[in-house]
Amino acid sequence: MRILLIEDEPAIARTIERGLSAHGHQLLLAESGEDGLLFLETETVALVLLDIMLPGMDGHETLAQIRRLRADLPVIMLTARDDLGSKVGALDAGADDYITKPFAFEELLARVRSLTRRADQKQASTLEFGNLRIDLLSHRVWRDDVPVDLSRREFALLEYFARHPGHLLSRQQILSAVWEYDFEGESNVVDVYVRYLRTKLDRPGEPSLLTTVRGSGYRFDPPGP
Ligand code: CA
């Protein structure tokens, strides 16, 4: 599994990296919240370990930004102090769990396991981004708890976007994933269906969930909480 560690202390980062890779995980290391967010925009990450005391943007601010990008991404905060305030603060800010440094590595592993198990179960049945909820089993969609009625193809297109939040997807990629054939030549079928989805999902006065990237394709920008 791919884990992003946002931690500025090299000794701690090395220890965590050694331990996690010994258990078959791949670690991406960012030394600041800003760098961590860049990774999240470009890499596939299954879980984040986030230090609170960071240079520049601190852990709480970083967490708020992570939540804006990926509402459902499991985040464990690393708190240096054993003080209740910072733990409660971490959970209030949307962390899934926290662990106090120094910690036994087995404890960290156990928390990683438990969170990813939960995430897997959730991932299997629903995708959630702020006020947009997609049930992959029943093929139902809600915006602000209001059901949105989608055709089979519209749902497939939305699901494809939702599985690649923030990624630029070309028309060709979308065609072969959602229409399942390699379409040669000109077709505006993707544009037509994107328009259907916008009509059904977007809210007046707010930016569209589906951004047109001129000359390239489309990008799904998840709504905020
Ligand atoms: Ca630190």
Side-chain angles (χ1 to χ4, degrees), residues 7-9 51-55 101:
E7 166 66 83
D8 60 312
E9 287 146 85
D51 189 25
I52 289 188
M53 306 283 275
L54 291 168
K101 291 193 268 187

Side-chain angles (χ1 to χ4, degrees), residues 5 7-23 25 27 29 49 78 101-106 108-109:
L5 171 63
E7 166 66 83
D8 60 312
E9 287 146 85
I12 295 176
R14 262 198 307 279
T15 308
I16 294 179
E17 177 160 37
R18 257 202 304 274
L20 287 176
S21 47
H23 286 81
H25 298 297
L27 199 78
L29 175 63
L49 301 174
L78 311 175
K101 291 193 268 187
F103 47 81
F105 193 76
E106 286 306 319
L108 177 63
L109 268 185

